[in-house]
Amino acid sequence: MDSCCQICGFEGESVNHLIFTCPVTRQVWALSLIPLPEYGFDLVSFYSNLHFLLTSLTDSNSTKEARRGFPWVIWHLWKNRNFFWFEGRRFNAYEIVQKIKLEADSWFLAVEMEETRLEEERRVEQTVMLKWEPLQDSWLKCNIGVHWRKEFALGGAAWVLRDSGGKVLLHSRRVFTGLNNLKELKFQVLMWAIDSMVSHKLNRVIFAVDDDMIVGAVTRPKAWPSFKAMRADILFGLRKIEWNRGAFLIAQSVTRDQRLDLYCVSYLFGAGYL
């Protein structure tokens, strides 16, 4: 077999050469703006080079985004090599750096959203402990939360199901992509929560959301004529839950009255009342 590097055509291929010293590889490292050794990477030791990258995480002479992106550089250099070997095509240095930035940004956005979700759950649980008002014994309450990143058209969502004493019974989370705005996200999350309750065969459920528009579209259709289709979809979903045929939707209106950790207004529809 040909022992030359198939990317640059010169030196014998090794892991260290492929990741650190190949001319194409050096272009990628330079474009990535990640701090590099003053005299270049070690020509022999892969572990010495990796040690330098790990210790550079504390270097204050570069941005945090640049420093923490090096695992994606290594990963995409390896992927580019395999792409060339198995498909006969490869990306240039600029294209590789663009892919690295996109995937690294997506990863840290996911981490940020998870941290935000955990903080929100802690805040909600603390609020519930202080402000919880018991439901009727046989009813459950499903609180719905969303987090929207406009620049990525990416939404995080979660629902938490509690019994009448406030004990968490079930919870779930997921990501929504390809949506246009926060309103659309909240609607899709509500439909997902309703379908989840149906799939778990739960019948006595109260849904709590924080959006006046969604609640108004259901409870006051004449005031929200543009949302007839949304209202029809919500009611169709609720009809799958037996006890919700005459049940209700409770909405938290946080921004309206500037009461950040308290329930502000409850909206009811159907024949039931809590």
Side-chain angles (χ1 to χ4, degrees), residues 24-69:
V24 176
T25 293
R26 292 204 301 269
Q27 292 177 27
V28 173
W29 283 109
L31 290 171
S32 69
L33 302 180
I34 292 173
L36 302 179
E38 183 178 357
Y39 300 106
F41 285 117
D42 191 310
L43 297 178
V44 178
S45 174
F46 173 84
Y47 298 101
S48 173
N49 293 325
L50 188 60
H51 178 265
F52 170 83
L53 292 173
L54 291 171
T55 56
S56 71
L57 290 173
T58 59
D59 186 353
S60 60
N61 294 324
S62 62
T63 65
K64 180 174 66 174
E65 290 73 16
R67 294 195 305 272
R68 68 187 186 180

Side-chain angles (χ1 to χ4, degrees), residues 1-225:
M1 295 178 63
D2 188 354
S3 61
C4 290
C5 172
Q6 300 301 305
I7 301 298
C8 68
F10 293 105
E11 301 181 40
E13 185 182 53
S14 68
V15 174
N16 192 60
H17 172 79
L18 176 66
I19 301 301
F20 294 111
T21 63
C22 175
V24 176
T25 293
R26 292 204 301 269
Q27 292 177 27
V28 173
W29 283 109
L31 290 171
S32 69
L33 302 180
I34 292 173
L36 302 179
E38 183 178 357
Y39 300 106
F41 285 117
D42 191 310
L43 297 178
V44 178
S45 174
F46 173 84
Y47 298 101
S48 173
N49 293 325
L50 188 60
H51 178 265
F52 170 83
L53 292 173
L54 291 171
T55 56
S56 71
L57 290 173
T58 59
D59 186 353
S60 60
N61 294 324
S62 62
T63 65
K64 180 174 66 174
E65 290 73 16
R67 294 195 305 272
R68 68 187 186 180
F70 77 84
W72 283 268
V73 176
I74 295 175
W75 174 241
H76 275 279
L77 288 171
W78 187 257
K79 285 180 66 176
N80 191 51
R81 180 263 188 192
N82 289 340
F83 191 64
F84 180 74
W85 267 97
F86 295 110
E87 299 190 30
R89 294 182 295 151
R90 63 184 179 185
F91 298 102
N92 60 42
Y94 178 76
E95 291 172 328
I96 295 174
V97 171
Q98 292 299 106
K99 289 179 177 293
I100 289 167
K101 186 177 186 306
L102 177 62
E103 291 197 12
D105 288 346
S106 298
W107 169 264
F108 287 107
L109 172 62
V111 171
E112 178 186 338
M113 292 181 64
E114 177 68 5
E115 291 174 348
T116 301
R117 182 194 66 80
L118 292 174
E119 180 61 30
E120 179 65 15
E121 277 194 2
R122 286 191 289 268
R123 186 190 66 79
V124 170
E125 288 177 0
Q126 183 179 13
T127 302
V128 168
M129 291 175 62
L130 296 175
K131 304 296 182 180
W132 178 260
E133 296 180 3
L135 307 173
Q136 294 177 1
D137 289 341
S138 58
W139 285 85
L140 305 174
K141 185 175 182 181
C142 180
N143 288 87
I144 299 167
V146 302
H147 185 262
W148 174 248
R149 291 299 297 266
K150 181 179 179 181
E151 62 271 32
F152 297 102
L154 187 69
W159 55 257
V160 180
L161 185 72
R162 295 180 173 88
D163 64 14
S164 58
K167 179 182 178 181
V168 175
L169 304 178
L170 295 168
H171 78 275
S172 183
R173 69 174 184 267
R174 63 174 289 187
V175 63
F176 286 81
T177 60
L179 302 180
N180 296 316
N181 51 55
L182 178 59
K183 294 291 186 183
E184 186 176 352
L185 172 64
K186 289 182 177 181
F187 168 68
Q188 293 295 337
V189 173
L190 174 59
M191 297 304 299
W192 164 56
I194 292 173
D195 288 341
S196 298
M197 297 304 105
V198 173
S199 67
H200 284 288
K201 303 185 185 303
L202 299 170
N203 287 323
R204 295 170 176 259
V205 183
I206 301 166
F207 294 92
V209 298
D210 64 347
D211 190 274
D212 294 343
M213 181 270 292
I214 291 178
V215 177
V218 175
T219 61
R220 297 181 291 124
K222 291 184 178 179
W224 300 84

Side-chain angles (χ1 to χ4, degrees), residues 214-271:
I214 291 178
V215 177
V218 175
T219 61
R220 297 181 291 124
K222 291 184 178 179
W224 300 84
S226 300
F227 299 96
K228 285 184 178 180
M230 176 186 293
R231 180 177 188 271
D233 288 343
I234 293 173
L235 292 180
F236 180 79
L238 289 174
R239 289 190 185 100
K240 299 176 185 178
I241 302 177
E242 180 180 357
W243 283 88
N244 262 314
R245 290 179 180 173
F248 41 88
L249 186 70
I250 295 182
Q252 295 171 279
S253 183
V254 175
T255 56
R256 184 192 329 171
D257 297 321
Q258 301 297 316
R259 301 173 67 184
L260 299 181
D261 288 326
L262 303 173
Y263 294 131
C264 294
V265 180
S266 294
Y267 293 88
L268 311 178
F269 70 83

